[in-house]
Amino acid sequence: MFAIAVLVVLAVIFIIMRGEKKPALYVYNWGDYIDESVLDQFEEKYSVRVVYDMFSTNEDMYVKVTSGGSRYDVLFPSDYMIKRMIDEDLLHKINLENVPNEKYIDPMFKGLDHDPDNEYSVPYMWGTLGILYNRKMVADPVDSWDILWNEKYRKQILMIDSQRDAVGIALQKLGYSLNSTNLDELEAAKQELIKQKGLVLAYVIDEAKDKMVAEEAALAVVWSGDAVYAIRDNPDLAYAVPKDGSNLWFDGMVIPKTAQNKELAEAFINFMNEPEIALANTEHTGYSTPHLEARARLSPEQANDPAAYPDPEDIANAEVFVHIGEMLKEYDRIWTEVKAH
Amino acid sequence: MSHKWAASPYLVWMALFIVVPIILVGYWSLTVKTDAGTQFTTENFRQFFNPVHLKVLFRSLELALIATAVCFVLGYPLAYILARNNLRHKNTLIMLLVVPMWMNFLLRTYAWLTILEKNGVLNTILRWLSLPEINILYTKTAVVLGMVYNFLPFMVLPIYSVLSKIDPSIVEAAEDLGADWVTVFRKIIFPLSLPGVFSGIAMVFMPSVTTFVISKLLGGGHYSLIGNLIEDQFRLVDDWGFGSAISLVMMALILVSMALMSKFAGEDRGLGLW
């Protein structure tokens, strides 16, 4: 009896306290992927509360969102994950009438394969996967994934701890597509990754850029924006997209079906596309913006930085991830076996 | 007992947060989701006996055993010294042992990253002293170091508490009968301290064998332990069935080893703090 009374009192207090709070918008984004001050601006402008959480891989985000219990209003997945979530009926269509600032998005980034009719996502950032290296420590030319298997850099390599990216690198090194669903090719990729393990200093994601700035390693696999960010802090660093292939990716903002406040979510997406806000985000994170107005206002150094805005011919061999459906299990298995080895 | 009702909040708590989760883990471990709905299966357990996963299990056991042994070798003398009555500043020393535990476990482990890095605190000092550098970050040594550092107090405190309760008159009696200190220690003090030793071993071994944070941070993702395998099933791979099966196997292993140890320790002594 007593216990029930206590629980009821606690529940009532909880409900009253919640009732007093402003409406909340739940945002789930990648780590280091926003200028966090824009969240304060949004809170002030709309007189709401933003609950902001971070993930480090698409897979991470997917499991959290689909396992129930979460109530995110806005997510920032990548192309193939957007496609997967559309296929699995996890996303709301976005009412673009509530997102007038979508007009600033470069048409080049609209109608991509993962969302051909621009119904479910509004582009946020784009970029490549490549190698961030320290020019003082690496004498060889960095133009191929092969350098990540070079004995000379034993224990000086930071590999990316993200299954599709890591397996994709091994596949491209072997001359296959990073969307391969051929079991022999995947097995070969697994062997390459196991072979590489002895040379790798650590498997990391967000920590890579700080470690490279601190010169803890010579080479690191990073996404382009992290490279821009790191080079800003340590001019000895440089970024290269392998000529034999890389991953070209597009992250978008989407509204999952778990959203409880779709209009506020659309207001948020619109707000993120205000030219000043889009500019603040791209300046802060170093990632490449698909926002025409923000790009036009960027400082010439960042706007002309080949790491952020590469020449089309340099990324001619880059592939976009596609959702591979059931074959994903094989990728899971390979990555588990590599990590367990 | 007239105050039995006072335990009811705890009973509710136990039911909600211990019994229900264990039932769920058991359910998930025995089921698999297929297009035809949920089906019962032993596949999740069979999967565990795949050589890759066994390798992870043996690596976890190996590192946890090393960490436990190191903790014992370091912790027993420390507990022995602390328990001696004539020690000055005893409370200060015990405080020094306990105070780091007030700080968040994760922060303390992150701090080791800064210490052990190539250009970290340790190497900067070594370089300044013109001594050779030590690069152990992202090796097994670093993982064991992290375990020992974090769990050493769990070895020292139970041994200390048992040692300090030993009746000094027993020791005096032995000495009066002509035993030298080696004999006193071997025949009296050490056997009497065994319950503390066993409880210390259990309290270091269990968190070591199941850790996933230490291996992730200090092992750089190289040394997947059983905790990492479980974490990945829930967080990345979305295979809750397999994750639950591994968790249950781990629970069984720990229960068996506890049972063996309490038998070894003698029924009447039980397991000290447990």
Side-chain angles (χ1 to χ4, degrees), chain B residues 16-28:
Chain B
L16 270 179
F17 296 109
I18 300 177
V19 179
V20 173
I22 288 184
I23 292 172
L24 282 176
V25 167
Y27 172 76
W28 278 320

Side-chain angles (χ1 to χ4, degrees), chain A residues 207 211, chain B residues 100-117 137-139 141-151 154 207 211-220 228:
Chain A
E207 298 95 321
K211 296 221 168 269
Chain B
M101 288 163 69
W102 295 356
M103 216 198 309
N104 182 288
F105 163 79
L106 210 55
L107 288 180
R108 282 182 286 143
T109 309
Y110 265 110
W112 275 106
L113 280 175
T114 321
I115 296 173
L116 296 178
E117 273 175 349
L137 189 58
Y138 306 129
T139 63
T141 318
V143 179
V144 171
L145 176 75
M147 291 174 178
V148 170
Y149 168 74
N150 278 307
F151 305 133
F154 296 115
T211 184
F212 60 95
V213 174
I214 297 174
S215 49
K216 193 168 201 166
L217 291 180
L218 298 177
N228 302 93

Side-chain angles (χ1 to χ4, degrees), chain A residues 251-271:
Chain A
D251 290 350
M253 290 177 274
V254 302
I255 306 177
K257 291 243 159 112
T258 55
Q260 313 220 334
N261 199 341
K262 181 163 182 266
E263 253 132 61
L264 189 60
E266 283 165 345
F268 179 77
I269 294 175
N270 191 49
F271 180 79

Side-chain angles (χ1 to χ4, degrees), chain B residues 14-177:
Chain B
M14 274 218 309
L16 270 179
F17 296 109
I18 300 177
V19 179
V20 173
I22 288 184
I23 292 172
L24 282 176
V25 167
Y27 172 76
W28 278 320
S29 70
L30 287 170
T31 51
V32 64
K33 271 188 222 142
T34 61
D35 295 332
T38 306
Q39 283 174 343
F40 279 91
T41 173
T42 54
E43 179 53 35
N44 292 323
F45 288 97
R46 207 168 315 139
Q47 208 182 332
F48 182 77
F49 294 97
N50 168 331
V52 177
H53 302 142
L54 289 178
K55 188 169 175 180
V56 175
L57 175 68
F58 289 130
R59 183 186 294 141
S60 308
L61 291 173
E62 177 203 338
L63 294 186
L65 281 173
I66 297 175
T68 311
V70 174
C71 278
F72 175 71
V73 170
L74 291 176
Y76 197 98
L78 181 57
Y80 186 76
I81 294 168
L82 285 175
R84 286 205 330 214
N85 285 327
N86 54 2
L87 192 68
R88 290 172 61 207
H89 312 299
K90 178 150 115 182
N91 288 334
T92 319
L93 286 174
I94 293 174
M95 274 286 279
L96 286 177
L97 187 72
V98 174
V99 163
M101 288 163 69
W102 295 356
M103 216 198 309
N104 182 288
F105 163 79
L106 210 55
L107 288 180
R108 282 182 286 143
T109 309
Y110 265 110
W112 275 106
L113 280 175
T114 321
I115 296 173
L116 296 178
E117 273 175 349
K118 203 168 77 182
N119 302 314
V121 178
L122 180 64
N123 279 338
T124 311
I125 296 172
L126 288 175
R127 237 172 276 159
W128 185 71
L129 295 171
S130 309
L131 290 170
E133 295 182 15
I134 296 175
N135 283 314
I136 58 165
L137 189 58
Y138 306 129
T139 63
K140 278 186 185 179
T141 318
V143 179
V144 171
L145 176 75
M147 291 174 178
V148 170
Y149 168 74
N150 278 307
F151 305 133
L152 183 62
F154 296 115
M155 180 65 86
V156 175
L157 293 176
I159 299 178
Y160 163 74
S161 94
V162 173
L163 282 178
S164 56
K165 279 182 206 136
I166 292 177
D167 187 348
S169 56
I170 302 176
V171 177
E172 281 161 21
E175 279 166 350
D176 287 347
L177 293 168

